């Protein structure tokens, strides 16, 4: 009998229950994965609280990425086999489990050089970073960009990747203790947005030129201010809402501030077909294997102690990725 974290109501970490459950057998186009490591993301916390734009059905599970070994293969699966080392992101919440059935088209074979922990810590965050810096905005050497929450899981990966692509990165952080971490992970300039005036600092850093693009996962606390940091015809990428959702906005504001563009992307929309998913993942694997992007670990917890992992992230004690380990 396998075990998993189950949720019967929304609330704090205390609502997460460790229970025995049936893993099920893979149907057509599915595989059964025995997890070795599972990634923890802020999305999981938002879903647990009931505040995520991607809700979960109760009772249900948590977790959106993992890595492990294929234990069973369903009919009509031709490119995966028993014993394959794989990682995945997406497919709906439920990764906080010892075993799980997932759609085979989400499973990605892991290169031998990548460990399960490393893969679980980077799939969702790393593929999101790839989509942000290479597809939504095709970053080129010499670009100056503004990246909010530079020490978040996505931020630590994306800022290193931006530096690798030759961009000058202005990163924001919530407190001064995060400044050295942001600098170490690719930021050329750092703004403590809770203590400094965002717009005036960006104007100072850029000599009044502003930036062509902002990457914002914070939402309410930063988004509207950020519009004043963007060059005419520039792009605002809102890919999260850690500080709360951005409220209704008069689209005329975009015209007044320089004919700006805004997008609210999701990873699933950019990896909806197998070819796009493979290209995104392999680009991530390559940049990590090359050493240009390093995956920073925040903490490791046994799967049954997922509540403790959530508390650490909510208290913002450290930067980096957190993984849950399966015995």
């Amino acid at each position: 009998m396998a075990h998993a974290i189950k949720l019967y109501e929304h609330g704090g970490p205390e609502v997460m229950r460790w229970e025995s459950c049936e893993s099920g057998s893979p149907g057509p186009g599915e595989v059964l994965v025995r997890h070795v490591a599972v990634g923890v993301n802020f999305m999981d916390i938002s879903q647990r609280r009931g505040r995520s734009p991607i809700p979960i059905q109760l009772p249900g599970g948590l977790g959106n990425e993992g890595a492990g070994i294929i234990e069973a293969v369903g009919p009509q699966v031709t490119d995966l086999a028993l014993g394959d080392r794989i990682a995945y992101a997406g497919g709906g919440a439920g990764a906080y489990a010892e075993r799980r059935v997932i759609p085979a088209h989400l499973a990605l074979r892991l290169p031998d050089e990548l460990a399960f922990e490393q893969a679980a810590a980077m799939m969702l965050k790393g593929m999101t970073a790839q989509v942000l810096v290479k597809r939504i905005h095709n970053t080129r050497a010499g670009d100056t960009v503004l990246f909010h929450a530079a020490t978040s899981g996505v931020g630590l990966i994306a800022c290193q990747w931006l530096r690798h692509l030759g961009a000058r990165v202005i990163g924001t952080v919530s407190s001064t203790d995060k400044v050295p971490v942001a600098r170490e992970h690719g930021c050329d300039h750092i703004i403590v947005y809770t203590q400094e005036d965002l717009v005036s600092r960006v104007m100072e850093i850029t000599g009044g030129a502003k930036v062509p693009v902002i990457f914002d996962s914070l939402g309410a606390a930063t988004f509207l201010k950020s519009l004043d940091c963007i060059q005419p015809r520039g792009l605002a990428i809102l890919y999260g809402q850690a500080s709360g959702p951005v409220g209704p906005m008069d689209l005329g504001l975009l015209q007044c501030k320089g004919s700006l563009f805004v997008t609210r992307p999701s990873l699933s929309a950019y990896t909806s077909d197998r070819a796009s998913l493979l290209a995104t993942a392999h680009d991530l694997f390559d940049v990590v294997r090359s050493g240009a992007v390093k995956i920073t670990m925040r903490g490791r917890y046994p799967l049954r102690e997922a509540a403790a992992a959530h508390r650490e992230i909510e208290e913002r004690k450290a930067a980096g990725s957190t993984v849950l380990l399966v015995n």
Side-chain angles (χ1 to χ4, degrees), residues 65-253:
E65 66 179 336
I69 299 169
I70 293 180
E71 285 200 334
V73 177
Q76 302 172 21
V77 177
T78 59
D79 59 344
L80 296 167
L82 293 179
D84 279 352
R85 301 172 70 251
I86 65 98
Y88 70 93
Y96 291 11
E98 292 177 327
R99 288 174 172 80
R100 184 189 187 191
V101 172
I102 64 168
H105 70 85
L106 294 179
L108 299 154
R109 282 197 186 90
L110 277 180
D112 292 340
E113 303 95 320
L114 297 182
F116 288 117
E117 283 187 36
Q118 194 176 24
M122 75 181 195
M123 293 309 300
L124 186 61
K125 292 176 279 291
M127 289 198 294
T128 297
Q130 195 276 351
V131 167
L132 291 173
V133 307
K134 296 194 71 175
R135 297 178 65 187
I136 302 175
H137 176 71
N138 183 20
T139 306
R140 300 182 183 279
D143 284 353
T144 298
V145 307
L146 175 61
F147 204 104
H148 286 298
T151 59
S152 66
V154 174
L156 291 175
I157 295 173
C159 290
Q160 292 179 80
W161 209 326
L162 286 162
R163 177 176 59 186
H164 176 62
L165 294 170
R168 181 171 66 144
V169 184
I170 305 170
T172 75
V173 295
S174 60
S175 59
T176 55
D177 61 306
K178 295 180 180 179
V179 169
V181 179
R183 196 177 307 282
E184 181 183 349
H185 288 80
C187 293
D188 299 283
H189 305 275
I190 301 148
I191 300 170
V192 183
Y193 72 88
T194 56
Q195 301 174 19
E196 302 178 82
D197 183 83
L198 175 67
V199 178
S200 63
R201 286 285 287 121
V202 170
M203 294 292 282
E204 176 189 343
I205 292 166
T206 63
K210 303 185 180 181
V211 297
V213 61
I214 65 156
F215 303 89
D216 192 346
S217 63
L218 294 174
T222 51
F223 185 74
L224 291 179
K225 294 177 185 177
S226 297
L227 297 182
D228 289 325
C229 301
I230 305 175
Q231 298 169 358
R233 303 184 304 281
L235 174 63
I237 305 172
L238 178 66
Y239 71 97
Q241 54 181 42
S243 68
V246 175
M249 184 178 72
D250 180 359
L251 293 182
L253 191 64

